[in-house]
Protein backbone atom coordinates (compact mmCIF):
# COMPACT_ATOMS: atom_id res chain seq x y z
CA UNK A 1 0.00 0.00 0.00
CA UNK A 2 1.18 3.49 -0.71
CA UNK A 3 2.75 6.32 1.41
CA UNK A 4 2.96 14.54 1.04
CA UNK A 5 -0.55 29.64 0.28
CA UNK A 6 -3.23 30.85 -1.31
CA UNK A 7 -0.78 32.35 -3.84
CA UNK A 8 -1.29 32.11 -7.58
CA UNK A 9 -0.50 28.62 -8.89
CA UNK A 10 0.24 27.44 -12.40
CA UNK A 11 -2.69 24.98 -12.30
CA UNK A 12 -4.99 27.86 -11.38
CA UNK A 13 -3.32 30.15 -13.82
CA UNK A 14 -3.63 27.61 -16.64
CA UNK A 15 -0.56 29.07 -18.28
CA UNK A 16 -0.81 28.54 -22.03
CA UNK A 17 1.00 29.99 -24.99
CA UNK A 18 -0.59 31.96 -27.68
CA UNK A 19 -0.36 30.46 -31.15
CA UNK A 20 -0.69 33.85 -32.81
CA UNK A 21 -1.01 37.45 -31.73
CA UNK A 22 -4.22 37.61 -33.73
CA UNK A 23 -5.91 34.76 -31.87
CA UNK A 24 -7.58 35.18 -28.52
CA UNK A 25 -8.36 31.92 -26.79
CA UNK A 26 -11.02 31.48 -24.18
CA UNK A 27 -10.20 29.50 -21.04
CA UNK A 28 -12.04 26.39 -22.15
CA UNK A 29 -10.08 26.08 -25.39
CA UNK A 30 -6.78 26.68 -23.63
CA UNK A 31 -7.58 23.89 -21.18
CA UNK A 32 -8.07 21.53 -24.14
CA UNK A 33 -4.65 22.48 -25.50
CA UNK A 34 -3.12 21.87 -22.08
CA UNK A 35 -4.74 18.41 -22.03
CA UNK A 36 -2.78 17.39 -25.12
CA UNK A 37 0.65 18.06 -23.61
CA UNK A 38 2.08 14.67 -22.68
CA UNK A 39 5.01 14.24 -20.29
CA UNK A 40 8.31 13.56 -22.04
CA UNK A 41 10.43 10.50 -21.06
CA UNK A 42 13.91 11.86 -20.28
CA UNK A 43 15.64 8.64 -19.25
CA UNK A 44 14.97 5.06 -18.23
CA UNK A 45 17.09 2.77 -16.07
CA UNK A 46 16.65 -0.99 -15.89
CA UNK A 47 18.34 -2.94 -13.11
CA UNK A 48 18.54 -6.69 -12.65
CA UNK A 49 21.32 -6.71 -10.10
CA UNK A 50 24.68 -8.44 -10.07
CA UNK A 51 24.29 -12.22 -9.72
CA UNK A 52 20.64 -11.92 -8.70
CA UNK A 53 17.56 -13.78 -9.80
CA UNK A 54 15.59 -10.61 -10.34
CA UNK A 55 14.85 -7.22 -8.82
CA UNK A 56 11.63 -5.51 -7.75
CA UNK A 57 11.41 -1.77 -7.08
CA UNK A 58 9.81 -0.82 -3.78
CA UNK A 59 10.08 2.97 -3.49
CA UNK A 60 11.80 6.09 -4.80
CA UNK A 61 13.04 9.31 -3.15
CA UNK A 62 15.10 12.40 -4.00
CA UNK A 63 17.63 14.43 -2.01
CA UNK A 64 18.04 18.19 -1.99
CA UNK A 65 20.51 18.09 -4.90
CA UNK A 66 18.14 16.31 -7.27
CA UNK A 67 19.76 12.87 -6.94
CA UNK A 68 17.35 9.96 -7.13
CA UNK A 69 17.37 6.90 -4.86
CA UNK A 70 15.56 3.64 -5.53
CA UNK A 71 14.91 0.90 -2.98
CA UNK A 72 14.72 -2.61 -4.42
CA UNK A 73 14.18 -6.18 -3.37
CA UNK A 74 16.75 -8.44 -5.00
CA UNK A 75 16.72 -12.23 -5.03
CA UNK A 76 19.73 -14.55 -5.13
CA UNK A 77 20.34 -18.27 -5.05
CA UNK A 78 22.61 -17.95 -2.00
CA UNK A 79 20.73 -15.65 0.39
CA UNK A 80 17.11 -15.86 -0.79
CA UNK A 81 16.56 -12.10 -0.74
CA UNK A 82 18.57 -8.95 0.06
CA UNK A 83 18.06 -5.23 0.55
CA UNK A 84 19.24 -3.08 -2.35
CA UNK A 85 19.53 0.70 -2.54
CA UNK A 86 20.65 2.58 -5.67
CA UNK A 87 21.57 6.18 -6.39
CA UNK A 88 21.24 8.02 -9.71
CA UNK A 89 22.20 11.54 -10.66
CA UNK A 90 19.30 13.67 -11.87
CA UNK A 91 20.36 13.03 -15.49
CA UNK A 92 19.98 9.27 -14.97
CA UNK A 93 23.65 8.37 -14.69
CA UNK A 94 24.33 5.59 -12.21
CA UNK A 95 26.19 6.68 -9.04
CA UNK A 96 26.26 3.67 -6.73
CA UNK A 97 24.47 0.51 -5.61
CA UNK A 98 24.54 -1.18 -2.22
CA UNK A 99 23.24 -4.66 -1.37
CA UNK A 100 22.84 -5.78 2.23
CA UNK A 101 22.48 -9.38 3.41
CA UNK A 102 21.66 -9.68 7.12
CA UNK A 103 23.77 -12.00 9.34
CA UNK A 104 21.20 -14.80 9.24
CA UNK A 105 21.70 -15.17 5.46
CA UNK A 106 17.98 -15.77 5.16
CA UNK A 107 15.31 -13.68 3.48
CA UNK A 108 15.68 -9.89 3.70
CA UNK A 109 12.69 -7.94 2.36
CA UNK A 110 12.95 -4.18 1.73
CA UNK A 111 9.85 -2.30 2.94
CA UNK A 112 10.50 1.47 3.03
CA UNK A 113 13.21 4.13 3.14
CA UNK A 114 13.83 7.86 3.50
CA UNK A 115 16.58 10.25 2.41
CA UNK A 116 17.89 13.45 4.00
CA UNK A 117 18.36 16.62 1.97
CA UNK A 118 22.12 15.96 1.94
CA UNK A 119 21.70 12.36 0.76
CA UNK A 120 21.98 10.15 3.83
CA UNK A 121 19.82 7.07 3.32
CA UNK A 122 17.85 5.15 5.95
CA UNK A 123 16.06 1.97 4.94
CA UNK A 124 14.09 -0.62 6.84
CA UNK A 125 12.78 -4.07 6.14
CA UNK A 126 12.28 -7.52 7.57
CA UNK A 127 15.13 -10.01 8.06
CA UNK A 128 15.11 -13.71 8.77
CA UNK A 129 17.13 -14.47 11.88
CA UNK A 130 17.21 -17.93 13.51
CA UNK A 131 14.08 -18.74 11.52
CA UNK A 132 12.13 -15.83 12.96
CA UNK A 133 11.55 -12.42 11.37
CA UNK A 134 12.74 -9.12 12.81
CA UNK A 135 13.18 -5.46 11.76
CA UNK A 136 16.47 -4.34 10.26
CA UNK A 137 17.16 -0.61 9.84
CA UNK A 138 20.26 0.53 7.95
CA UNK A 139 22.02 3.83 7.27
CA UNK A 140 24.26 4.70 4.31
CA UNK A 141 25.82 8.11 3.81
CA UNK A 142 25.50 10.08 0.57
CA UNK A 143 28.57 8.32 -0.87
CA UNK A 144 27.04 4.91 -0.24
CA UNK A 145 29.30 4.13 2.70
CA UNK A 146 27.69 1.80 5.24
CA UNK A 147 27.16 3.56 8.59
CA UNK A 148 25.23 1.14 10.76
CA UNK A 149 22.57 -1.55 10.92
CA UNK A 150 20.20 -2.05 13.83
CA UNK A 151 18.10 -5.17 14.32
CA UNK A 152 15.00 -4.83 16.46
CA UNK A 153 14.07 -8.14 18.06
CA UNK A 154 11.31 -7.29 20.50
CA UNK A 155 9.19 -10.39 20.19
CA UNK A 156 8.76 -13.72 18.50
CA UNK A 157 8.19 -11.90 15.21
CA UNK A 158 8.64 -8.24 14.26
CA UNK A 159 7.79 -6.47 11.01
CA UNK A 160 8.21 -2.90 9.71
CA UNK A 161 5.54 -0.71 8.15
CA UNK A 162 7.15 2.66 7.37
CA UNK A 163 10.14 4.93 8.09
CA UNK A 164 10.61 8.72 8.18
CA UNK A 165 13.35 11.19 9.13
CA UNK A 166 12.26 13.98 11.45
CA UNK A 167 13.42 17.61 11.44
CA UNK A 168 16.22 16.86 13.92
CA UNK A 169 17.67 14.12 11.74
CA UNK A 170 16.37 11.32 13.96
CA UNK A 171 14.67 8.33 12.37
CA UNK A 172 11.24 6.89 13.17
CA UNK A 173 10.44 3.27 12.27
CA UNK A 174 6.96 1.83 12.77
CA UNK A 175 5.43 -1.60 12.39
CA UNK A 176 4.42 -4.43 14.67
CA UNK A 177 5.92 -6.73 17.27
CA UNK A 178 4.38 -10.09 18.23
CA UNK A 179 5.23 -11.64 21.59
CA UNK A 180 3.40 -13.87 24.06
CA UNK A 181 0.30 -14.07 21.91
CA UNK A 182 -0.05 -10.27 21.50
CA UNK A 183 0.85 -8.19 18.46
CA UNK A 184 1.72 -4.60 19.39
CA UNK A 185 1.64 -1.48 17.23
CA UNK A 186 5.33 -0.56 17.33
CA UNK A 187 7.12 2.80 17.12
CA UNK A 188 10.92 3.12 17.37
CA UNK A 189 13.10 6.22 17.31
CA UNK A 190 16.80 6.06 16.41
CA UNK A 191 19.33 8.88 16.45
CA UNK A 192 21.31 9.63 13.30
CA UNK A 193 24.20 7.56 14.73
CA UNK A 194 21.98 4.56 15.37
CA UNK A 195 21.27 4.90 19.10
CA UNK A 196 17.83 3.68 20.14
CA UNK A 197 16.18 6.74 21.71
CA UNK A 198 12.85 5.15 22.59
CA UNK A 199 10.56 2.25 21.78
CA UNK A 200 6.80 2.34 22.30
CA UNK A 201 4.28 -0.49 21.96
CA UNK A 202 0.51 -0.03 21.86
CA UNK A 203 -1.63 -3.12 22.31
CA UNK A 204 -5.25 -2.67 23.40
CA UNK A 205 -6.14 -5.88 21.55
CA UNK A 206 -4.31 -9.07 20.65
CA UNK A 207 -3.62 -7.83 17.10
CA UNK A 208 -2.23 -4.31 16.53
CA UNK A 209 0.00 -2.83 13.80
CA UNK A 210 1.25 0.59 12.60
CA UNK A 211 1.24 0.81 8.80
CA UNK A 212 1.82 4.46 7.85
CA UNK A 213 3.61 7.40 9.40
CA UNK A 214 3.59 11.21 9.34
CA UNK A 215 5.86 13.64 11.22
CA UNK A 216 4.84 17.27 11.71
CA UNK A 217 7.03 20.39 11.97
CA UNK A 218 7.29 19.95 15.75
CA UNK A 219 8.50 16.35 15.33
CA UNK A 220 5.28 14.88 16.67
CA UNK A 221 4.75 11.40 15.29
CA UNK A 222 1.40 10.27 13.86
CA UNK A 223 0.79 6.65 12.95
CA UNK A 224 -2.10 4.87 11.25
CA UNK A 225 -2.87 1.16 11.20
CA UNK A 226 -5.20 -1.18 13.00
CA UNK A 227 -6.02 -2.37 16.52
CA UNK A 228 -8.15 -5.49 16.64
CA UNK A 229 -10.89 -4.87 14.09
CA UNK A 230 -10.66 -1.05 14.26
CA UNK A 231 -8.66 1.66 12.56
CA UNK A 232 -5.92 2.92 14.86
CA UNK A 233 -4.45 6.45 14.91
CA UNK A 234 -1.75 7.41 17.42
CA UNK A 235 0.10 10.63 18.22
CA UNK A 236 3.41 10.69 20.09
CA UNK A 237 5.54 13.70 20.95
CA UNK A 238 9.21 13.71 19.98
CA UNK A 239 10.15 12.12 23.32
CA UNK A 240 7.88 9.14 22.75
CA UNK A 241 5.10 10.21 25.09
CA UNK A 242 1.71 9.07 23.81
CA UNK A 243 -0.43 12.20 23.49
CA UNK A 244 -3.58 10.41 22.36
CA UNK A 245 -4.93 7.33 20.64
CA UNK A 246 -8.05 7.02 18.52
CA UNK A 247 -9.97 3.97 17.35
CA UNK A 248 -12.54 3.98 14.57
CA UNK A 249 -15.08 1.20 14.18
CA UNK A 250 -17.13 1.40 10.97
CA UNK A 251 -20.92 1.01 11.12
CA UNK A 252 -20.77 -2.52 9.70
CA UNK A 253 -18.65 -3.54 12.72
CA UNK A 254 -16.34 -5.65 10.59
CA UNK A 255 -12.57 -5.48 10.21
CA UNK A 256 -11.24 -1.91 9.68
CA UNK A 257 -7.73 -0.77 8.87
CA UNK A 258 -5.97 2.49 7.98
CA UNK A 259 -3.74 2.61 4.89
CA UNK A 260 -2.71 6.26 4.64
CA UNK A 261 -2.29 9.35 6.80
CA UNK A 262 -1.39 13.01 6.19
CA UNK A 263 -1.74 16.43 7.84
CA UNK A 264 -2.81 19.62 6.11
CA UNK A 265 -1.26 23.05 6.62
CA UNK A 266 -3.72 23.75 9.45
CA UNK A 267 -2.83 20.64 11.44
CA UNK A 268 -5.95 18.65 10.56
CA UNK A 269 -5.33 14.93 10.20
CA UNK A 270 -6.72 12.85 7.33
CA UNK A 271 -6.72 9.08 7.40
CA UNK A 272 -7.91 6.75 4.65
CA UNK A 273 -8.61 3.06 5.01
CA UNK A 274 -11.02 0.21 4.47
CA UNK A 275 -13.69 -1.75 6.24
CA UNK A 276 -14.61 -5.29 5.31
CA UNK A 277 -18.16 -6.24 4.39
CA UNK A 278 -19.62 -9.73 3.85
CA UNK A 279 -17.84 -10.18 0.50
CA UNK A 280 -14.30 -10.20 -0.88
CA UNK A 281 -14.44 -6.41 -1.25
CA UNK A 282 -14.44 -3.43 1.10
CA UNK A 283 -15.84 0.01 1.76
CA UNK A 284 -13.40 2.94 1.81
CA UNK A 285 -13.41 5.47 4.63
CA UNK A 286 -11.87 8.95 4.81
CA UNK A 287 -11.57 10.37 8.34
CA UNK A 288 -10.80 13.90 9.39
CA UNK A 289 -9.48 14.42 12.93
CA UNK A 290 -8.45 17.61 14.67
CA UNK A 291 -4.99 17.76 16.20
CA UNK A 292 -6.38 16.63 19.56
CA UNK A 293 -7.53 13.38 18.00
CA UNK A 294 -11.24 14.14 17.82
CA UNK A 295 -12.96 12.79 14.72
CA UNK A 296 -14.65 15.69 12.88
CA UNK A 297 -16.25 13.64 10.12
CA UNK A 298 -16.09 10.37 8.23
CA UNK A 299 -16.93 9.87 4.57
CA UNK A 300 -17.65 6.40 3.21
CA UNK A 301 -17.26 5.39 -0.41
CA UNK A 302 -18.82 2.06 -1.31
CA UNK A 303 -17.93 2.04 -5.00
CA UNK A 304 -19.10 3.09 -8.45
CA UNK A 305 -21.91 0.54 -8.70
CA UNK A 306 -24.72 0.04 -6.19
CA UNK A 307 -24.19 -1.90 -3.00
CA UNK A 308 -21.67 -1.96 -0.18
CA UNK A 309 -18.18 -3.30 -0.52
CA UNK A 310 -17.34 -2.64 -4.16
CA UNK A 311 -13.84 -1.25 -3.63
CA UNK A 312 -10.52 -2.43 -2.32
CA UNK A 313 -7.45 -0.63 -1.00
CA UNK A 314 -6.74 3.14 -1.19
CA UNK A 315 -3.10 3.87 -1.96
CA UNK A 316 -2.76 7.01 0.18
CA UNK A 317 -4.14 10.47 0.86
CA UNK A 318 -2.87 14.01 0.06
CA UNK A 319 -4.15 17.54 0.66
CA UNK A 320 -3.92 20.76 -1.34
CA UNK A 321 -1.43 23.43 -0.29
CA UNK A 322 -4.05 25.50 1.54
CA UNK A 323 -5.85 22.52 3.04
CA UNK A 324 -9.08 23.16 1.16
CA UNK A 325 -9.16 19.86 -0.74
CA UNK A 326 -8.33 16.24 0.10
CA UNK A 327 -7.65 13.52 -2.46
CA UNK A 328 -7.24 9.79 -2.43
CA UNK A 329 -7.25 7.01 -5.01
CA UNK A 330 -8.59 3.47 -4.80
CA UNK A 331 -9.79 0.71 -7.11
CA UNK A 332 -13.35 -0.48 -7.44
CA UNK A 333 -15.34 -3.26 -9.06
CA UNK A 334 -17.39 -2.32 -12.14
CA UNK A 335 -19.29 -5.59 -12.76
CA UNK A 336 -16.51 -7.00 -14.94
CA UNK A 337 -13.18 -5.87 -13.52
CA UNK A 338 -11.52 -3.14 -11.48
CA UNK A 339 -10.96 0.49 -12.36
CA UNK A 340 -8.90 3.24 -10.77
CA UNK A 341 -11.11 5.73 -8.93
CA UNK A 342 -9.81 9.09 -7.65
CA UNK A 343 -11.87 11.21 -5.27
CA UNK A 344 -11.72 14.83 -4.15
CA UNK A 345 -13.34 16.16 -0.98
CA UNK A 346 -13.52 19.62 0.53
CA UNK A 347 -12.15 20.20 4.01
CA UNK A 348 -15.74 20.11 5.28
CA UNK A 349 -16.22 16.64 3.76
CA UNK A 350 -18.24 17.53 0.66
CA UNK A 351 -17.50 15.46 -2.44
CA UNK A 352 -15.94 17.71 -5.08
CA UNK A 353 -15.43 15.19 -7.88
CA UNK A 354 -14.90 11.51 -8.68
CA UNK A 355 -12.81 10.37 -11.65
CA UNK A 356 -12.63 6.85 -13.10
CA UNK A 357 -10.18 5.06 -15.35
CA UNK A 358 -10.39 1.48 -16.63
CA UNK A 359 -9.13 1.55 -20.21
CA UNK A 360 -12.46 0.38 -21.66
CA UNK A 361 -11.45 -3.28 -21.33
CA UNK A 362 -13.64 -5.70 -19.35
CA UNK A 363 -12.52 -8.33 -16.84
CA UNK A 364 -9.16 -6.76 -16.10
CA UNK A 365 -7.56 -5.13 -13.06
CA UNK A 366 -6.50 -1.50 -12.92
CA UNK A 367 -4.88 -0.66 -9.58
CA UNK A 368 -3.39 2.59 -8.18
CA UNK A 369 -0.20 2.31 -6.14
CA UNK A 370 0.60 5.94 -5.31
CA UNK A 371 -0.92 9.41 -5.21
CA UNK A 372 1.21 12.58 -5.12
CA UNK A 373 0.51 16.30 -5.44
CA UNK A 374 2.72 19.05 -6.84
CA UNK A 375 3.25 22.59 -5.61
CA UNK A 376 0.60 23.83 -8.01
CA UNK A 377 -1.99 21.42 -6.52
CA UNK A 378 -2.09 19.12 -9.53
CA UNK A 379 -2.71 15.48 -8.61
CA UNK A 380 -0.89 12.46 -10.05
CA UNK A 381 -2.02 8.85 -9.83
CA UNK A 382 0.56 6.11 -10.41
CA UNK A 383 -0.56 2.55 -10.90
CA UNK A 384 -0.85 -0.54 -13.06
CA UNK A 385 -3.37 -1.17 -15.83
CA UNK A 386 -4.16 -4.37 -17.71
CA UNK A 387 -4.65 -4.79 -21.45
CA UNK A 388 -5.19 -8.01 -23.43
CA UNK A 389 -2.64 -7.04 -26.11
CA UNK A 390 0.13 -5.69 -23.90
CA UNK A 391 -0.28 -7.31 -20.49
CA UNK A 392 0.20 -5.11 -17.45
CA UNK A 393 1.51 -1.58 -18.00
CA UNK A 394 2.65 1.31 -15.85
CA UNK A 395 0.12 4.13 -15.91
CA UNK A 396 0.54 7.73 -14.77
CA UNK A 397 -2.43 10.12 -14.78
CA UNK A 398 -2.41 13.86 -14.08
CA UNK A 399 -5.49 15.76 -12.89
CA UNK A 400 -5.86 19.47 -12.39
CA UNK A 401 -7.28 20.63 -9.07
CA UNK A 402 -10.77 20.85 -10.59
CA UNK A 403 -10.63 17.19 -11.63
CA UNK A 404 -9.89 17.75 -15.31
CA UNK A 405 -7.63 14.99 -16.61
CA UNK A 406 -4.69 16.77 -18.19
CA UNK A 407 -2.83 13.74 -19.53
CA UNK A 408 -2.28 10.01 -19.21
CA UNK A 409 0.84 8.07 -20.13
CA UNK A 410 1.70 4.36 -20.10
CA UNK A 411 4.82 2.21 -20.21
CA UNK A 412 4.74 -1.28 -21.73
CA UNK A 413 8.22 -2.52 -20.80
CA UNK A 414 10.82 -4.54 -22.70
CA UNK A 415 8.60 -7.55 -23.54
CA UNK A 416 5.38 -7.77 -25.53
CA UNK A 417 2.39 -8.80 -23.40
CA UNK A 418 4.56 -8.63 -20.30
CA UNK A 419 4.08 -7.72 -16.64
CA UNK A 420 4.98 -4.17 -15.57
CA UNK A 421 3.99 -3.25 -12.00
CA UNK A 422 4.38 0.39 -10.94
CA UNK A 423 5.28 0.95 -7.28
CA UNK A 424 5.87 4.61 -6.47
CA UNK A 425 6.21 8.10 -7.93
CA UNK A 426 7.83 11.37 -6.79
CA UNK A 427 8.18 14.94 -8.06
CA UNK A 428 11.30 17.08 -7.90
CA UNK A 429 11.48 20.84 -7.43
CA UNK A 430 11.28 21.37 -11.22
CA UNK A 431 8.08 19.31 -11.42
CA UNK A 432 9.80 16.40 -13.14
CA UNK A 433 8.18 13.07 -12.35
CA UNK A 434 10.11 9.93 -11.41
CA UNK A 435 8.41 6.54 -11.26
CA UNK A 436 9.75 3.15 -10.30
CA UNK A 437 8.41 -0.35 -10.60
CA UNK A 438 9.12 -3.85 -11.83
CA UNK A 439 9.16 -5.08 -15.45
CA UNK A 440 9.34 -8.68 -16.59
CA UNK A 441 12.35 -9.45 -18.77
CA UNK A 442 11.56 -13.14 -19.06
CA UNK A 443 8.16 -14.81 -19.08
CA UNK A 444 8.97 -18.47 -18.41
CA UNK A 445 10.12 -18.61 -15.70
CA UNK A 446 9.04 -15.10 -14.76
CA UNK A 447 12.00 -12.80 -14.12
CA UNK A 448 11.78 -9.11 -13.20
CA UNK A 449 14.06 -6.10 -13.32
CA UNK A 450 13.65 -2.80 -11.49
CA UNK A 451 12.61 -0.02 -13.89
CA UNK A 452 12.94 3.69 -13.11
CA UNK A 453 11.80 6.43 -15.50
CA UNK A 454 12.10 10.22 -15.45
CA UNK A 455 9.44 12.33 -17.17
CA UNK A 456 9.66 16.06 -17.73
CA UNK A 457 6.52 18.15 -18.12
CA UNK A 458 5.68 21.06 -20.38
CA UNK A 459 4.85 23.93 -18.06
CA UNK A 460 1.68 24.61 -20.01
CA UNK A 461 3.42 26.94 -22.43
CA UNK A 462 3.57 26.32 -26.18
CA UNK A 463 5.77 28.86 -27.88
CA UNK A 464 5.12 30.72 -31.11
CA UNK A 465 8.53 30.25 -32.74
CA UNK A 466 7.40 32.08 -35.90
CA UNK A 467 7.16 35.34 -33.96
CA UNK A 468 10.81 36.34 -33.72
CA UNK A 469 12.20 39.20 -31.69
CA UNK A 470 15.59 40.91 -31.52
CA UNK A 471 15.15 41.99 -27.91
CA UNK A 472 13.38 41.14 -24.69
CA UNK A 473 9.83 42.46 -24.56
CA UNK A 474 7.25 42.39 -21.80
CA UNK A 475 3.92 43.76 -22.98
CA UNK A 476 1.15 45.29 -20.92
CA UNK A 477 -1.41 42.74 -19.85
CA UNK A 478 -4.89 42.84 -21.37
CA UNK A 479 -7.46 43.48 -20.03
CA UNK A 480 -6.27 45.72 -17.26
CA UNK A 481 -7.84 46.17 -14.72
CA UNK A 482 -9.27 42.64 -14.77
CA UNK A 483 -11.43 40.13 -12.92
CA UNK A 484 -10.63 37.31 -12.86
CA UNK A 485 -8.31 36.62 -15.84
CA UNK A 486 -5.83 38.52 -17.96
CA UNK A 487 -3.18 37.84 -20.61
CA UNK A 488 0.54 38.57 -20.47
CA UNK A 489 2.68 38.46 -23.62
CA UNK A 490 6.47 38.44 -23.62
CA UNK A 491 9.23 37.60 -26.10
CA UNK A 492 12.88 36.58 -25.76
CA UNK A 493 15.58 36.87 -28.46
CA UNK A 494 17.83 33.96 -27.38
CA UNK A 495 17.76 30.90 -25.18
CA UNK A 496 17.74 31.98 -21.55
CA UNK A 497 16.63 30.99 -18.07
CA UNK A 498 13.38 32.94 -17.81
CA UNK A 499 11.35 33.90 -14.77
CA UNK A 500 8.02 35.69 -14.68
CA UNK A 501 7.53 37.01 -11.16
CA UNK A 502 4.45 38.56 -9.59
CA UNK A 503 4.81 41.03 -6.70
CA UNK A 504 2.36 42.80 -4.48
CA UNK A 505 2.56 46.56 -3.85
CA UNK A 506 4.89 46.00 -0.87
CA UNK A 507 7.40 44.21 -3.07
CA UNK A 508 6.67 40.74 -1.75
CA UNK A 509 6.90 37.94 -4.33
CA UNK A 510 3.49 36.33 -4.70
CA UNK A 511 4.64 33.64 -7.13
CA UNK A 512 7.21 32.66 -9.72
CA UNK A 513 4.78 31.62 -12.43
CA UNK A 514 7.51 30.75 -14.95
CA UNK A 515 11.01 29.54 -14.06
CA UNK A 516 12.71 27.51 -16.77
CA UNK A 517 15.05 27.62 -19.77
CA UNK A 518 13.15 28.87 -22.83
CA UNK A 519 14.02 29.12 -26.51
CA UNK A 520 13.71 32.37 -28.50
CA UNK A 521 10.03 32.92 -29.24
CA UNK A 522 6.96 34.88 -28.24
CA UNK A 523 4.76 33.59 -25.42
CA UNK A 524 1.33 34.33 -24.04
CA UNK A 525 0.20 33.47 -20.51
CA UNK A 526 -3.38 33.56 -19.33
CA UNK A 527 -3.57 34.17 -15.59
CA UNK A 528 -6.58 33.52 -13.40
CA UNK A 529 -6.43 35.96 -10.49
CA UNK A 530 -9.48 34.62 -8.68
CA UNK A 531 -7.32 33.69 -5.68
CA UNK A 532 -6.01 37.25 -5.33
CA UNK A 533 -7.59 40.09 -3.42
CA UNK A 534 -8.33 43.41 -5.11
CA UNK A 535 -5.34 45.68 -5.54
CA UNK A 536 -2.27 46.65 -7.52
CA UNK A 537 0.33 44.03 -8.45
CA UNK A 538 3.50 44.02 -10.54
CA UNK A 539 4.83 41.41 -12.94
CA UNK A 540 8.43 41.21 -14.01
CA UNK A 541 10.45 39.52 -16.76
CA UNK A 542 13.84 38.20 -15.60
CA UNK A 543 16.27 36.50 -18.00
CA UNK A 544 19.49 34.83 -16.78
CA UNK A 545 19.13 36.67 -13.49
CA UNK A 546 18.76 40.15 -15.03
CA UNK A 547 15.54 42.18 -14.74
CA UNK A 548 14.42 43.03 -18.27
CA UNK A 549 11.16 44.87 -17.60
CA UNK A 550 8.40 45.37 -15.05
CA UNK A 551 4.73 46.16 -15.61
CA UNK A 552 1.78 46.89 -13.34
CA UNK A 553 -1.71 45.38 -13.31
CA UNK A 554 -4.79 45.82 -11.18
CA UNK A 555 -7.43 43.37 -9.97
CA UNK A 556 -10.86 44.80 -9.20
CA UNK A 557 -13.49 42.64 -7.50
Amino acid sequence: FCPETPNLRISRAKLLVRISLCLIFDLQFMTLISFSQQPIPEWESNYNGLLTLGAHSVSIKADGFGNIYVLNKVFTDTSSGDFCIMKYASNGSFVWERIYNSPGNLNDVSVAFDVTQTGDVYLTGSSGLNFTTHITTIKYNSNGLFQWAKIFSGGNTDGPGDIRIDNNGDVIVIGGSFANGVGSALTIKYSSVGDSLWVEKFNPFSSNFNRKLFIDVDNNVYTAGYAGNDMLILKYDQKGILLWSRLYNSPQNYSDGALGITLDINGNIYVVGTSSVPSEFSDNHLLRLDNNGQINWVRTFTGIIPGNGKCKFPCGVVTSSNGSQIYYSTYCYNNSGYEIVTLSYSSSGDTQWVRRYWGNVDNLQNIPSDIIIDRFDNIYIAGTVSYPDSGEDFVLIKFLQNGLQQWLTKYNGPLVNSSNILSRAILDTSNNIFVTGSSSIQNNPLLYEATTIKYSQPVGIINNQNASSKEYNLFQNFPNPFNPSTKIIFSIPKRAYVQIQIYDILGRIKELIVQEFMNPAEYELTIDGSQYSSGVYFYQLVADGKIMDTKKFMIIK
Side-chain angles (χ1 to χ4, degrees), residues 213-232:
L213 169 64
F214 190 93
I215 300 174
D216 68 16
V217 294
D218 297 318
N219 293 319
N220 296 305
V221 177
Y222 304 78
T223 69
Y226 64 85
N229 289 324
D230 297 339
M231 285 192 194
L232 172 66

Side-chain angles (χ1 to χ4, degrees), residues 133-147:
T133 301
H134 299 293
I135 300 172
T136 299
T137 303
I138 305 167
K139 178 183 179 179
Y140 294 96
N141 70 11
S142 60
N143 295 318
L145 296 178
F146 175 82
Q147 303 296 291

